[in-house]
Short mmCIF file of all heavy atoms in Angstrom, two decimals:
data_model
loop_
_atom_site.label_atom_id
_atom_site.label_comp_id
_atom_site.label_asym_id
_atom_site.label_seq_id
_atom_site.Cartn_x
_atom_site.Cartn_y
_atom_site.Cartn_z
N SER A 176 49.39 101.55 74.22
CA SER A 176 50.13 102.80 73.78
C SER A 176 49.19 103.59 72.83
O SER A 176 48.54 103.04 71.96
CB SER A 176 51.39 102.37 73.00
OG SER A 176 52.12 103.57 72.71
N GLY A 177 49.10 104.91 73.15
CA GLY A 177 48.21 105.71 72.35
C GLY A 177 46.73 105.68 72.73
O GLY A 177 45.89 106.21 72.02
N ALA A 178 46.40 105.00 73.80
CA ALA A 178 45.04 104.93 74.24
C ALA A 178 44.46 106.33 74.39
O ALA A 178 45.11 107.22 74.85
CB ALA A 178 44.89 104.14 75.54
N PRO A 179 43.13 106.47 74.03
CA PRO A 179 42.59 107.81 74.20
C PRO A 179 42.45 108.27 75.66
O PRO A 179 42.44 109.49 75.88
CB PRO A 179 41.18 107.66 73.55
CG PRO A 179 40.98 106.26 73.28
CD PRO A 179 42.26 105.52 73.37
N GLU A 180 42.34 107.38 76.55
CA GLU A 180 42.32 107.67 77.97
C GLU A 180 43.19 106.70 78.72
O GLU A 180 43.29 105.58 78.29
CB GLU A 180 40.88 107.42 78.55
CG GLU A 180 39.80 108.15 77.89
CD GLU A 180 39.58 109.57 78.43
OE1 GLU A 180 40.02 109.76 79.59
OE2 GLU A 180 39.04 110.38 77.71
N PRO A 181 43.83 107.09 79.82
CA PRO A 181 44.62 106.13 80.60
C PRO A 181 43.73 105.15 81.33
O PRO A 181 42.49 105.25 81.19
CB PRO A 181 45.30 107.00 81.60
CG PRO A 181 45.02 108.41 81.33
CD PRO A 181 43.86 108.47 80.37
N VAL A 182 44.36 104.20 82.01
CA VAL A 182 43.58 103.27 82.86
C VAL A 182 42.76 104.17 83.85
O VAL A 182 43.24 105.07 84.42
CB VAL A 182 44.58 102.41 83.63
CG1 VAL A 182 43.85 101.56 84.70
CG2 VAL A 182 45.38 101.52 82.68
N PRO A 183 41.43 103.82 84.10
CA PRO A 183 40.68 104.59 84.96
C PRO A 183 41.19 104.62 86.40
O PRO A 183 41.76 103.56 86.89
CB PRO A 183 39.25 103.85 84.97
CG PRO A 183 39.30 102.96 83.77
CD PRO A 183 40.71 102.68 83.45
N ALA A 184 41.14 105.74 87.01
CA ALA A 184 41.63 105.87 88.43
C ALA A 184 40.91 104.92 89.35
O ALA A 184 41.54 104.41 90.29
CB ALA A 184 41.42 107.32 88.87
N THR A 185 39.66 104.54 89.05
CA THR A 185 38.95 103.62 89.90
C THR A 185 39.62 102.26 89.93
O THR A 185 39.74 101.58 90.98
CB THR A 185 37.47 103.39 89.43
OG1 THR A 185 37.55 103.28 87.96
CG2 THR A 185 36.62 104.54 89.81
N ILE A 186 40.18 101.87 88.80
CA ILE A 186 40.86 100.60 88.69
C ILE A 186 42.22 100.65 89.37
O ILE A 186 42.58 99.73 90.15
CB ILE A 186 41.03 100.19 87.17
CG1 ILE A 186 39.69 99.73 86.69
CG2 ILE A 186 42.05 99.08 87.00
CD1 ILE A 186 39.70 98.93 85.40
N VAL A 187 42.89 101.74 89.19
CA VAL A 187 44.26 101.90 89.86
C VAL A 187 44.03 101.87 91.38
O VAL A 187 44.76 101.21 92.12
CB VAL A 187 44.89 103.24 89.40
CG1 VAL A 187 46.20 103.47 90.24
CG2 VAL A 187 45.21 103.18 87.90
N ARG A 188 43.05 102.66 91.85
CA ARG A 188 42.82 102.68 93.32
C ARG A 188 42.46 101.26 93.84
O ARG A 188 43.02 100.86 94.91
CB ARG A 188 41.67 103.65 93.57
CG ARG A 188 41.45 103.94 95.08
CD ARG A 188 40.58 105.18 95.30
NE ARG A 188 41.29 106.40 94.97
CZ ARG A 188 40.98 107.26 93.97
NH1 ARG A 188 39.91 107.01 93.17
NH2 ARG A 188 41.67 108.35 93.81
N ALA A 189 41.59 100.59 93.17
CA ALA A 189 41.18 99.26 93.66
C ALA A 189 42.37 98.33 93.68
O ALA A 189 42.56 97.52 94.65
CB ALA A 189 40.12 98.68 92.70
N VAL A 190 43.22 98.39 92.63
CA VAL A 190 44.37 97.47 92.59
C VAL A 190 45.35 97.79 93.73
O VAL A 190 45.82 96.91 94.47
CB VAL A 190 45.04 97.45 91.26
CG1 VAL A 190 46.40 96.81 91.28
CG2 VAL A 190 44.16 96.86 90.19
N ARG A 191 45.58 99.10 93.93
CA ARG A 191 46.54 99.50 95.04
C ARG A 191 46.04 99.07 96.43
O ARG A 191 46.83 98.74 97.31
CB ARG A 191 46.73 101.00 94.98
CG ARG A 191 48.08 101.48 94.54
CD ARG A 191 49.21 100.63 94.96
NE ARG A 191 49.76 101.00 96.28
CZ ARG A 191 50.42 102.10 96.54
NH1 ARG A 191 50.72 102.96 95.59
NH2 ARG A 191 50.86 102.27 97.77
N GLU A 192 44.74 99.02 96.55
CA GLU A 192 44.15 98.61 97.84
C GLU A 192 44.54 97.20 98.22
O GLU A 192 44.75 96.89 99.38
CB GLU A 192 42.60 98.67 97.74
CG GLU A 192 41.97 99.83 98.45
CD GLU A 192 40.52 99.88 97.97
OE1 GLU A 192 39.80 98.88 97.96
OE2 GLU A 192 40.10 101.08 97.67
N VAL A 193 44.68 96.33 97.26
CA VAL A 193 44.99 94.91 97.54
C VAL A 193 46.46 94.51 97.32
O VAL A 193 46.84 93.42 97.72
CB VAL A 193 44.06 93.96 96.76
CG1 VAL A 193 42.59 94.17 97.07
CG2 VAL A 193 44.32 94.10 95.25
N LEU A 194 47.19 95.39 96.65
CA LEU A 194 48.54 94.99 96.22
C LEU A 194 49.66 95.47 97.11
O LEU A 194 49.62 96.60 97.60
CB LEU A 194 48.78 95.56 94.81
CG LEU A 194 49.78 94.90 93.90
CD1 LEU A 194 49.35 93.51 93.59
CD2 LEU A 194 50.04 95.72 92.62
N SER A 195 50.64 94.60 97.36
CA SER A 195 51.77 95.03 98.17
C SER A 195 53.00 95.32 97.33
O SER A 195 54.03 95.83 97.81
CB SER A 195 52.15 93.99 99.22
OG SER A 195 51.03 93.55 99.88
N ILE A 196 53.03 94.88 96.07
CA ILE A 196 54.19 95.11 95.19
C ILE A 196 53.96 96.36 94.37
O ILE A 196 52.82 96.75 94.24
CB ILE A 196 54.52 93.85 94.33
CG1 ILE A 196 53.29 93.44 93.49
CG2 ILE A 196 55.01 92.68 95.18
CD1 ILE A 196 53.62 92.33 92.49
N PRO A 197 55.00 97.02 93.85
CA PRO A 197 54.82 98.24 93.11
C PRO A 197 53.92 98.15 91.89
O PRO A 197 53.94 97.13 91.15
CB PRO A 197 56.23 98.67 92.72
CG PRO A 197 57.12 97.97 93.70
CD PRO A 197 56.43 96.65 93.99
N LEU A 198 53.17 99.21 91.68
CA LEU A 198 52.20 99.19 90.62
C LEU A 198 52.56 100.25 89.50
O LEU A 198 52.73 101.43 89.79
CB LEU A 198 50.78 99.59 91.18
CG LEU A 198 49.69 99.79 90.11
CD1 LEU A 198 49.41 98.51 89.37
CD2 LEU A 198 48.39 100.19 90.87
N ILE A 199 52.75 99.73 88.31
CA ILE A 199 53.13 100.56 87.14
C ILE A 199 51.86 100.84 86.37
O ILE A 199 51.01 99.91 86.18
CB ILE A 199 54.12 99.84 86.20
CG1 ILE A 199 55.32 99.39 87.04
CG2 ILE A 199 54.50 100.70 85.04
CD1 ILE A 199 56.35 98.55 86.21
N VAL A 200 51.64 102.03 85.85
CA VAL A 200 50.47 102.35 85.05
C VAL A 200 50.93 103.02 83.75
O VAL A 200 51.82 103.93 83.83
CB VAL A 200 49.48 103.23 85.80
CG1 VAL A 200 48.23 103.55 84.93
CG2 VAL A 200 48.98 102.60 87.11
N GLY A 201 50.41 102.58 82.60
CA GLY A 201 50.85 103.19 81.37
C GLY A 201 49.76 103.11 80.34
O GLY A 201 48.75 102.37 80.48
N GLY A 202 49.95 103.87 79.22
CA GLY A 202 49.04 103.89 78.15
C GLY A 202 48.12 105.07 78.24
O GLY A 202 47.32 105.19 79.22
N GLY A 203 48.23 106.01 77.29
CA GLY A 203 47.30 107.11 77.26
C GLY A 203 47.55 108.26 78.20
O GLY A 203 46.64 109.17 78.33
N ILE A 204 48.69 108.31 78.88
CA ILE A 204 48.96 109.41 79.77
C ILE A 204 49.59 110.56 79.00
O ILE A 204 50.68 110.44 78.41
CB ILE A 204 49.92 108.97 80.96
CG1 ILE A 204 49.39 107.77 81.67
CG2 ILE A 204 50.23 110.14 81.84
CD1 ILE A 204 50.34 107.08 82.71
N ARG A 205 48.84 111.64 78.87
CA ARG A 205 49.24 112.74 77.98
C ARG A 205 49.39 114.12 78.65
O ARG A 205 49.72 115.10 77.97
CB ARG A 205 48.29 112.82 76.82
CG ARG A 205 48.41 111.74 75.81
CD ARG A 205 47.15 111.69 75.01
NE ARG A 205 47.22 110.52 74.11
CZ ARG A 205 47.61 110.58 72.90
NH1 ARG A 205 48.10 111.68 72.37
NH2 ARG A 205 47.63 109.44 72.15
N SER A 206 49.00 114.19 79.92
CA SER A 206 48.90 115.50 80.54
C SER A 206 49.22 115.44 82.01
O SER A 206 49.16 114.38 82.63
CB SER A 206 47.55 116.12 80.35
OG SER A 206 46.58 115.34 81.07
N ALA A 207 49.53 116.64 82.60
CA ALA A 207 49.69 116.64 84.04
C ALA A 207 48.47 116.18 84.78
O ALA A 207 48.49 115.53 85.80
CB ALA A 207 50.12 118.06 84.44
N ALA A 208 47.30 116.53 84.21
CA ALA A 208 46.02 116.18 84.83
C ALA A 208 45.88 114.61 84.88
O ALA A 208 45.43 114.06 85.89
CB ALA A 208 44.83 116.79 84.11
N ASP A 209 46.23 113.96 83.79
CA ASP A 209 46.24 112.48 83.77
C ASP A 209 47.17 111.93 84.85
O ASP A 209 46.78 111.05 85.62
CB ASP A 209 46.73 111.98 82.45
CG ASP A 209 45.80 112.18 81.28
OD1 ASP A 209 44.61 112.43 81.55
OD2 ASP A 209 46.32 112.17 80.09
N ALA A 210 48.34 112.57 84.98
CA ALA A 210 49.30 112.08 85.94
C ALA A 210 48.74 112.28 87.34
O ALA A 210 48.83 111.38 88.23
CB ALA A 210 50.63 112.79 85.77
N THR A 211 48.18 113.42 87.62
CA THR A 211 47.59 113.74 88.94
C THR A 211 46.62 112.70 89.32
O THR A 211 46.61 112.13 90.44
CB THR A 211 46.96 115.13 88.90
OG1 THR A 211 47.99 116.03 88.55
CG2 THR A 211 46.44 115.45 90.31
N ALA A 212 45.67 112.39 88.40
CA ALA A 212 44.57 111.40 88.72
C ALA A 212 45.17 110.01 89.09
O ALA A 212 44.71 109.38 90.03
CB ALA A 212 43.61 111.37 87.54
N LEU A 213 46.13 109.62 88.27
CA LEU A 213 46.68 108.26 88.52
C LEU A 213 47.53 108.18 89.74
O LEU A 213 47.54 107.23 90.49
CB LEU A 213 47.49 107.84 87.25
CG LEU A 213 46.66 107.69 86.00
CD1 LEU A 213 47.52 107.54 84.76
CD2 LEU A 213 45.64 106.55 86.09
N LEU A 214 48.31 109.23 89.97
CA LEU A 214 49.13 109.32 91.22
C LEU A 214 48.31 109.37 92.44
O LEU A 214 48.54 108.69 93.46
CB LEU A 214 50.15 110.45 91.13
CG LEU A 214 51.25 110.32 90.00
CD1 LEU A 214 51.93 111.64 89.88
CD2 LEU A 214 52.25 109.24 90.31
N ASP A 215 47.22 110.18 92.38
CA ASP A 215 46.33 110.26 93.53
C ASP A 215 45.65 108.89 93.82
O ASP A 215 45.36 108.59 94.96
CB ASP A 215 45.20 111.29 93.25
CG ASP A 215 45.68 112.75 93.41
OD1 ASP A 215 46.88 112.89 93.86
OD2 ASP A 215 44.98 113.63 93.03
N ALA A 216 45.42 108.17 92.72
CA ALA A 216 44.81 106.82 92.90
C ALA A 216 45.75 105.80 93.41
O ALA A 216 45.40 104.68 93.76
CB ALA A 216 44.20 106.39 91.59
#
Side-chain angles (χ1 to χ4, degrees):
S176 186
E180 303 276 338
V182 173
T185 42
I186 287 199
V187 173
R188 188 165 288 114
V190 168
R191 250 324 273 289
E192 255 167 45
V193 297
L194 202 65
S195 313
I196 56 176
L198 176 60
I199 305 176
V200 180
I204 303 171
R205 285 161 187 268
S206 67
D209 290 339
T211 302
L213 296 169
L214 293 167
D215 284 351

